[in-house]
Amino acid sequence: MRAFVLALVALAIGSFVGCSVETTSHGGLLQVMSPTQAEPASTSTLVYACQPYPGTCVWYQHGSNVVAGTLSGVSSATGMAVDRYGNVYVANQRPSEVLVFAKGSTTATKTLSDPNAQPDDVAVDSNGTVYVANFYGPGAIAVYVGGSTMPTSYLNDPNFVVGVQSVAVDEHHLLAALYDDSNFQIDVDEFVGGKGQGTKVISTGLSGGAVRFDSADNLVLALDSGTGEINIYNGTTFALCNSTPQPGIPSYINLDRSSGDLYIPDVKDKVVHEVTFSDCTGGGTKERNYTAGLMTAGVISTAVDPGPGP
């Protein structure tokens, strides 16, 4: 369903959008607009942004409007993640692989392969175990343990009717998987310890999006239905506790746990919005916009490293 919605957006803005084998969308270059409050001191933290097709991924120093580097070899980007050391993981749908870049490097240092699958999103836990959400393939979530470049196991669940669109892991190795069910509604399963059988914890009745954990282990969902919204669900009761409408269509969002800021890629407007996080207790304040400068298809994914940078 998300691929269909994004494809319609792509047609409307003259870009190629989606999340299936033939479609991907978003991506955009960053250019800082005037912030609504004082700029923080530079931490050399890097902000990444990817457009889908043709694949383009760039990075900036936080708060800068100058492109500091480009990730080479990306042809069809979807979700991305950064581990505790600043290594960047980019799900690349054509060919089917996840590219791994050391912080500040323009060339991939490792490629995670799964020839029978199609990666949509990627997450990395504190032990370095990598989880790849596959839209198609024999295993809905491919698991890479111990630095392996091929899957060491798979996580699956009868609920995964269509495939998994997004995956996230918290500091306690609790894994969340977001997927379309048979009614094309977004559900979320949790896997305790990143293994075993998934348990459905959320069924939204909506479509689209990505799932992430905040620092309080609440589930944060970016939904691309309608004009787009960010929904926060209590991590214990799974009750909807906050909802923030978005100006465009959010996709693979990122949460910076160190600063509390939320980064929202917007394919429609070719912008990454940086806001103070809207958790269960209140709303967020816009810090700045990073707007497209070199990208043409809008921003599909964004990531922020833990800093400090090179």
Side-chain angles (χ1 to χ4, degrees):
M1 182 64 174
R2 177 179 57 178
F4 174 73
V5 173
L6 294 180
L8 292 180
V9 173
L11 291 174
I13 64 176
S15 62
F16 188 79
V17 181
C19 250
S20 69
V21 174
E22 296 299 329
T23 59
T24 29
S25 72
H26 317 41
L29 262 163
L30 309 163
Q31 185 175 1
V32 172
M33 305 299 288
S34 299
T36 57
Q37 58 191 52
E39 291 279 351
S42 174
T43 61
S44 295
T45 296
L46 305 184
V47 179
Y48 294 87
C50 289
Q51 78 171 9
Y53 182 83
T56 304
C57 295
V58 299
W59 76 78
Y60 301 79
Q61 299 287 340
H62 181 264
S64 171
N65 62 355
V66 178
V67 176
T70 302
L71 303 179
S72 62
V74 180
S75 58
S76 184
T78 48
M80 64 190 311
V82 179
D83 68 17
R84 61 191 297 187
Y85 303 106
N87 298 309
V88 184
Y89 299 72
V90 181
N92 192 39
Q93 290 192 342
R94 288 192 298 271
S96 181
E97 61 191 8
V98 174
L99 300 174
V100 186
F101 300 82
K103 182 171 182 174
S105 173
T106 61
T107 305
T109 58
K110 182 186 288 187
T111 300
L112 308 184
S113 300
D114 192 354
N116 297 315
Q118 180 197 344
D120 251 11
D121 197 13
V122 58
V124 189
D125 71 13
S126 58
N127 293 334
T129 299
V130 181
Y131 301 91
V132 178
N134 287 312
F135 196 77
Y136 296 114
I141 302 173
V143 184
Y144 298 77
V145 176
S148 174
T149 59
M150 295 294 291
T152 53
S153 64
Y154 291 95
L155 295 174
N156 217 321
D157 191 274
N159 292 326
F160 296 161
V161 177
V162 178
V164 180
Q165 295 184 9
S166 182
V167 65
V169 61
D170 73 1
E171 295 176 350
H172 311 290
H173 310 289
L174 180 67
L175 187 78
L178 180 147
Y179 58 97
D180 275 341
D181 64 19
S182 57
N183 295 316
F184 297 103
Q185 296 178 345
I186 284 296
D187 298 331
V188 176
D189 277 11
E190 283 194 340
F191 293 80
V192 177
K195 57 187 177 182
Q197 184 78 8
T199 301
K200 185 185 293 187
V201 294
I202 295 173
S203 185
T204 68
L206 301 171
S207 68
V211 62
R212 298 291 183 257
F213 285 101
D214 70 6
S215 58
D217 295 333
N218 298 311
L219 287 163
V220 183
L221 273 60
L223 300 169
D224 61 26
S225 59
T227 58
E229 58 190 66
I230 305 292
N231 287 341
I232 300 98
Y233 291 80
N234 183 284
T236 302
T237 65
F238 306 108
L240 178 65
C241 57
N242 203 347
S243 182
T244 305
Q246 297 302 310
I249 298 181
S251 49
Y252 299 101
I253 60 176
N254 182 270
L255 277 161
D256 184 347
R257 294 193 177 200
S258 61
S259 69
D261 282 0
L262 175 65
Y263 292 77
I264 307 167
D266 179 356
V267 60
K268 178 181 178 182
D269 298 316
K270 304 178 184 178
V271 169
V272 172
H273 309 282
E274 181 186 353
V275 301
T276 55
F277 178 55
S278 305
D279 59 13
C280 283
T281 62
T285 301
K286 182 183 288 186
E287 298 283 349
R288 60 184 58 79
N289 284 337
Y290 298 87
T291 62
L294 300 179
M295 297 186 187
T296 58
V299 187
I300 190 171
S301 56
T302 185
V304 183
D305 76 3

